Amino acid sequence: MRGDKMKTHKLAIIGTGHVGSQVLTSAVHSHLFSDIVLIDSRTDLAYGEALDQAHATGLLSRHNTKIYAGHYSDLVDVDICIISASYVFPNGELPEDRQALLSKNAQIVREIMANITQVTHDPILLFITNPADTVVYMAATEFDYPKNKVIGTGCSLDSARLSYILSQIYNVAPHSVQAFMLGEHGYTAFPLLSHANIAGITFSEWTKCFPDVIELNADDIKEKVVQAAYDVFRAKNGVTNSAIAQVALDIAHSILLDEHMIFPVSTLVEANEYHSEPIAYSLPTILGKEGIVKVLPLTLNNWEQVKLKESLNSIKANIDLAKNI
């Protein structure tokens, strides 16, 4: 028997509101982490969430995960940090427009990054906080943190919604649909239909293979996916938390196990044929134990190029606003 200790994983969750608490639930059920530390400016909330989940470790269905409320000093040996912190409006209201959160969340993100960088530059940082792309840009450019370790969930949830919606339209299992939403996590996200397929059948052949389905164009599909977020948001009184929590855990799983899975995450993308300066947005990205392994270059059709430009303009406007906050 080997004498060295088995590798264990430690997770930090910063922000324990609706999203952060669901991330915690998904994390403990993943059986991926030996330690989970919660950090929130509302220390009582972090304590309560940790204690509530810790009580369940007395059940045979749970692993003996150490779950506790902590401080930024606890990040020194963390493998991955999921950041879901967001401004808490006094009456519980939350604007539907993710970009409207910027004036409140910019300072919160800067405070979090300042606290993290005083302690460590080692963990992978996975941001859920909105507006997602602007937050990633701020974290990757305003602080001396390794850029390969700064990631946003970006369009990963949008892409899951796209696969689900297409699966319902074409009456196939969601896992049979391979399709990405790209660009901004928000109103201007767009489907990459030129590279989409259902079990290898390309988008241009869907009408032939599914003649009973009313043909949809790219604009129709884009609208359905973008609207899907607001269907949840309005029905749950301003909360979308379950799917995004699972997205974060799927990304964390791929990183920690060095799986090299491809996700449409938000990263800082260097200048290329579509933009002349670095900007954060979602492209298909290979993820591994060091974070970003490779951002995959893509050839876009004319419609997709137009939509990407709209996305980049929207993100750039928010970045410019953030610089003045």
Side-chain angles (χ1 to χ4, degrees):
M1 183 175 178
R2 294 180 57 179
D4 54 331
K5 292 181 65 177
M6 182 179 70
K7 169 65 177 174
T8 59
H9 296 133
K10 182 177 178 179
L11 168 69
I13 302 171
I14 300 179
T16 55
H18 291 296
V19 175
S21 62
Q22 188 63 45
V23 170
L24 173 60
T25 298
S26 297
V28 295
H29 284 294
S30 74
H31 296 160
L32 186 61
F33 303 99
S34 60
D35 296 79
I36 302 175
V37 56
L38 308 183
I39 299 173
D40 198 300
S41 58
R42 299 162 293 178
T43 54
D44 286 346
L45 179 60
Y47 171 78
E49 290 289 352
L51 188 60
D52 196 9
Q53 289 286 355
H55 287 164
T57 61
L59 301 171
L60 294 178
S61 59
R62 288 288 187 91
H63 286 186
N64 185 25
T65 304
K66 183 180 180 183
I67 307 167
Y68 61 99
H71 308 280
Y72 283 95
S73 58
D74 293 303
L75 299 183
V76 67
D77 58 347
V78 159
D79 296 287
I80 189 163
C81 181
I82 298 177
I83 302 160
S84 58
S86 187
Y87 178 75
V88 179
F89 287 83
N91 298 317
E93 70 277 20
L94 191 65
E96 291 191 11
D97 183 358
R98 297 175 183 90
Q99 317 316 316
L101 287 166
L102 179 59
S103 62
K104 302 295 185 181
N105 281 349
Q107 187 57 37
I108 290 173
V109 170
R110 287 175 174 136
E111 289 176 2
I112 288 171
M113 285 301 300
N115 286 324
I116 291 173
T117 53
Q118 286 177 10
V119 175
T120 181
H121 287 72
D122 292 333
I124 305 296
L125 305 183
L126 179 58
F127 285 91
I128 298 176
T129 303
N130 281 314
D133 305 289
T134 307
V135 164
V136 169
Y137 181 89
M138 291 166 56
T141 60
E142 296 182 13
F143 301 86
D144 187 24
Y145 207 88
K147 292 178 176 55
N148 61 296
K149 295 184 176 182
V150 180
I151 302 166
T153 51
C155 285
S156 297
L157 174 55
D158 311 71
S159 298
R161 288 172 174 147
L162 172 61
S163 292
Y164 171 77
I165 288 168
L166 291 176
S167 78
Q168 298 302 293
I169 292 171
Y170 291 95
N171 195 26
V172 298
H175 285 175
S176 293
V177 181
Q178 288 82 44
F180 284 148
M181 296 287 288
L182 298 182
E184 176 191 31
H185 175 56
Y187 289 121
T188 66
F190 64 93
L192 185 68
L193 294 178
S194 64
H195 295 267
N197 71 83
I198 297 176
I201 303 166
T202 59
F203 177 67
S204 61
E205 298 177 299
W206 290 358
T207 300
K208 175 183 176 182
C209 293
F210 302 95
D212 296 333
V213 177
I214 297 174
E215 184 175 2
L216 296 175
N217 61 36
D219 286 300
D220 294 331
I221 294 171
K222 167 183 162 58
E223 178 59 27
K224 284 180 178 294
V225 176
V226 171
Q227 182 58 41
Y230 298 99
D231 292 342
V232 178
F233 184 93
R234 291 162 187 158
K236 292 181 66 173
N237 297 317
V239 176
T240 61
N241 58 345
S242 298
I244 188 59
Q246 191 59 53
V247 164
L249 262 294
D250 281 10
I251 292 171
H253 186 279
S254 181
I255 290 171
L256 293 174
L257 299 188
D258 198 27
E259 291 185 320
H260 284 219
M261 288 281 289
I262 298 173
F263 290 88
V265 291
S266 183
T267 66
L268 187 69
V269 181
E270 298 301 325
N272 59 32
E273 61 183 298
Y274 300 115
H275 49 93
S276 59
E277 56 188 19
I279 187 170
Y281 62 101
S282 290
L283 287 174
T285 304
I286 302 172
L287 299 178
K289 62 183 179 180
E290 296 302 319
I292 300 164
V293 175
K294 183 179 182 180
V295 178
L296 301 177
L298 290 173
T299 300
L300 305 179
N301 64 28
N302 290 337
W303 182 87
E304 291 160 354
Q305 289 183 42
V306 170
K307 295 306 175 184
L308 177 59
K309 184 176 181 180
E310 291 176 4
S311 262
L312 296 179
N313 287 341
S314 177
I315 297 166
K316 182 65 165 59
N318 283 320
I319 289 172
D320 291 342
L321 177 59
K323 290 176 179 178
N324 295 312
I325 294 176

